[in-house]
Amino acid sequence: MSTAHTSNPHVDFPADFRGAVFRPGDDGYDEARAVYNGRAADSGPALIARCTDEEDVVTVLRYASARDIPVAVRGGGHMSDGLAMPGGALVVDLSGMRAISVDPKTRVVRAQPGVLLGELDAATQQHGLVVPAGTVTTTGVAGLTLGGGIGHLMRRFGATVDNPLACEMVTVDGRRVRADEKENPELFWALRGGGGNFGVVTSFEFQAHPLGPDVVSGQIIFPRDQAASILAKIPGHMADAPRELGLLIAITDAPPLPALPKEAHGRPVLVLVPVYSGDPETADKVIEPLAALGHPVAHLVSRN
């Protein structure tokens, strides 16, 4: 890996930074700037600093703050608009910071900002616990939490952002701080929906909830011509549904699933995606009224 290019403005990047550094033209630069949805800027970042720990984050932010350099932050890299890799910026890459710890007694979960949701779920489910999160395993926990966190369990446990107990972070000028209900409470409020640009979170503490190992979930698929009638009934139905029932809705083209009639393949359909996290023995009483809102062409809900 090349260590510097004289045409790059960051030739004086701190020598005590312990992580990997990628500049345009370096081996691995194109791979380092790639994000999940592929919408990075045409011109890449001036420098990507892949941090190994909180000390590296401090080093990068002090360097950037002293020089008034624009900074972007990469966690899981899943955001659709590619803001983690803007052209010309100094990127604080947290994707390598992926430690997770779970205390089964207190149900406190600590996760670094490079952790992906699939990794978080795998760690918590070893103890029959869950942190309510999103719906895609490759989403990063940091961006999801600080952005809200909509998922299957939010009717029961709230959004992801409702469940942090504390955040360890580095401010934009390189100071380590902790934010929770007692220490820096206004900052803790701000991190949970008050906006951005307060600093870089290096560790999240979550309150996990008992759940699993099984839930009842799947898809109920209706022809599109039933969509208007069913969607009109959904708000009233969910108002009376138990909080253990989560529901996602989509209108899409039907995939070529063996369970679907061939004449439905490729045709627009309404898809209800229920997830019931209550007692599996009571699932039928909760799920079947959803199917009864119309006449489904496929009922693919089962215990998982």
Side-chain angles (χ1 to χ4, degrees), residues 229-244:
S229 173
I230 293 171
L231 291 174
K233 299 172 186 174
I234 288 290
H237 180 86
M238 293 303 293
D240 295 327
R243 304 298 292 183
E244 291 85 358

Side-chain angles (χ1 to χ4, degrees), residues 173-197:
D173 57 352
R175 292 177 293 114
R176 295 182 181 88
V177 298
R178 177 180 174 87
D180 57 30
E181 292 290 357
K182 295 182 178 180
E183 187 174 352
N184 297 306
E186 292 185 353
L187 178 59
F188 189 47
W189 173 87
L191 291 171
R192 293 174 296 156
N197 298 320

Side-chain angles (χ1 to χ4, degrees), residues 13 17 20 45 47-54 56-62 64 69-76 84-86 89-97 113 170 199-202:
F13 196 70
F17 180 80
L47 185 144
I48 301 169
R50 183 169 294 163
C51 302
T52 59
D53 54 22
E54 186 180 57
D56 272 351
V57 178
V58 170
T59 298
V60 177
L61 290 182
R62 286 180 178 172
I69 296 171
V71 169
V73 184
R74 180 197 176 127
M85 291 288 166
L90 168 57
V91 174
V92 183
D93 185 345
L94 308 174
S95 61
M97 296 174 60
V170 180
V200 177
V201 177
T202 55

